[in-house]
Amino acid sequence: MNKMNGNTIKITTGAMILAIFAMMLLLNRQTGSFFEGFFIYLLPIPMVLYAALYGFRAGLSVFAGMCLFSFLFGGFTTIFYAVTAALLGLIFGTRIYLKCDMTRTLFIVMGLSAVFNVVSTVALASLFGYDVTAEVTQMRDAIGQALAQMGNEEVMQFYTLDFMKQIFIISTAVIGLIDGFIVYRLSLFIAKRLRISTDRAIPIKDLYPPKWTGIAAILLYIYGLYSFIKPSADPLLNDIRQGLWVIGFMYLVVFGIIALTQFFRAFVSRSALVITLLTILAYFVLSQVLLYVGFAYISLGLHDYLKKKNAAV
């Protein structure tokens, strides 16, 4: 009897979650996608809560229902956003259900959000009717006009089309990271209100991924960088390569920043304010160097070296 009641509650909860998801899609459709930018933060939450309560296997059926509702009530771009939001929620909620470390979960949620944002904006741009090159060219022209009015036309030589495309892709990934962080905080806030327990987060300095991920990231970066040096005749292939480039770049830079904070802590100062200011300054001045620092931190033993130095201080 108790098992039957438990299954009934699970099914009823799943139906309610699907209804909430479908209502958001319908509201977005009826308002001409007016709320789409706002719903990016809300669409994953129903799936997060359900998977956090009942786990991955139970969440799969609800995820399938969300995909079906996405095709029924969404346009082409909305389908992609809705399905990826449901997938993000399923992964996030499952990690809560399994009591996984929340610091790693935060990085996973932010990373997936950045990947989905880059894929939708860059890799699938042509399918969505969005011309990245034309957008970047327009941005470059606007910068050129502003520089001309200030009498600094010579600076424009640094703003090449390839450079502007790199900046555009990086900014797209950064926006995705921010979106992921907002989804993470909103989901945890609601989960705690519903008294869903979560595991304790470990310090960021103790976060250490497998060594092979650093090698994979540097290979993605090099492969994507080749599309800027020698573009393919296929624009879609170039967009995919550039998307891979920014994934590898952002992954290594994140761990490069972590490595830098540990370096400053071991050799410069243990003050959190000093470490933060120096890290921010280093990011703006040495962003390309941070890429290789991150690779060394993950795959070449820099993590272990800094950990020993900090333990000895």
Side-chain angles (χ1 to χ4, degrees):
M1 182 64 69
N2 290 335
K3 185 176 181 181
M4 185 178 297
N5 290 337
N7 288 333
T8 302
I9 293 173
K10 185 187 296 186
I11 294 171
T12 303
T13 305
M16 181 179 66
I17 292 296
L18 281 173
I20 294 172
F21 188 82
M23 285 300 297
M24 286 193 287
L25 289 177
L26 275 172
L27 179 60
N28 184 58
R29 182 174 181 176
Q30 293 300 317
T31 56
S33 299
F34 181 78
F35 294 104
E36 188 162 274
F38 180 65
F39 281 160
I40 290 175
Y41 308 115
L42 297 182
L43 283 174
I45 295 177
M47 188 73 253
V48 171
L49 300 177
Y50 188 80
L53 287 171
Y54 301 110
F56 181 77
R57 291 183 62 183
L60 275 179
S61 58
V62 177
F63 173 71
M66 288 180 172
C67 292
L68 177 61
F69 280 130
S70 301
F71 281 92
L72 291 176
F73 302 135
F76 188 72
T77 56
T78 305
I79 290 172
F80 179 84
Y81 288 128
V83 170
T84 54
L87 178 60
L88 181 64
L90 178 61
I91 295 171
F92 185 11
T94 300
R95 290 187 63 83
I96 295 176
Y97 178 80
L98 296 174
K99 307 298 182 185
C100 296
D101 168 63
M102 296 309 296
T103 303
R104 293 180 185 273
T105 300
L106 170 61
F107 276 91
I108 289 173
V109 170
M110 292 176 66
L112 287 174
S113 178
V115 169
F116 294 152
N117 203 39
V118 170
V119 169
S120 64
T121 306
V122 180
L124 299 180
S126 58
L127 298 179
F128 291 163
Y130 182 72
D131 191 340
V132 174
T133 302
E135 181 72 16
V136 172
T137 302
Q138 187 175 2
M139 292 168 56
R140 185 174 181 272
D141 292 342
I143 293 174
Q145 292 175 6
L147 290 174
Q149 291 176 359
M150 293 185 293
N152 295 324
E153 296 93 336
E154 66 278 0
V155 180
M156 197 59 197
Q157 62 180 318
F158 298 105
Y159 290 90
T160 64
L161 187 60
D162 286 342
F163 175 75
M164 291 297 297
K165 289 185 75 172
Q166 292 181 33
I167 297 299
F168 176 81
I169 296 170
I170 291 174
S171 64
T172 300
V174 171
I175 291 172
L177 291 173
I178 295 171
D179 291 346
F181 180 78
I182 294 173
V183 169
Y184 175 86
R185 297 302 302 174
L186 278 177
S187 300
L188 285 188
F189 175 78
I190 296 174
K192 289 179 180 178
R193 291 290 181 180
L194 296 175
R195 301 188 184 280
I196 299 174
S197 62
T198 60
D199 194 35
R200 182 181 64 87
I202 64 172
I204 291 178
K205 65 183 179 64
D206 294 332
L207 186 66
Y208 184 55
K211 290 186 177 182
W212 66 264
T213 61
I215 298 172
I218 197 73
L219 290 176
L220 287 179
Y221 172 79
I222 294 172
Y223 177 69
L225 188 63
Y226 188 68
S227 67
F228 293 105
I229 300 172
K230 190 175 181 181
S232 170
D234 185 357
L236 179 59
L237 179 59
N238 283 329
D239 291 340
I240 293 173
R241 285 179 174 177
Q242 289 161 11
L244 295 175
W245 170 82
V246 78
I247 291 170
F249 178 85
M250 294 302 299
Y251 183 81
L252 293 174
V253 165
V254 165
F255 285 98
I257 291 173
I258 294 174
L260 209 57
T261 60
Q262 297 309 299
F263 175 83
F264 290 142
R265 183 179 177 84
F267 297 102
V268 180
S269 172
R270 299 185 74 84
S271 168
L273 178 61
V274 173
I275 292 172
T276 301
L277 292 175
L278 288 175
T279 303
I280 293 173
L281 177 63
Y283 175 76
F284 286 108
V285 176
L286 304 170
S287 60
Q288 291 293 332
V289 176
L290 285 178
L291 170 85
Y292 302 104
V293 173
F295 174 66
Y297 184 79
I298 298 171
S299 302
L300 301 182
L302 182 58
H303 169 267
D304 296 333
Y305 171 76
L306 292 175
K307 188 176 181 179
K308 290 179 182 177
K309 286 294 182 181
N310 276 293
V313 175

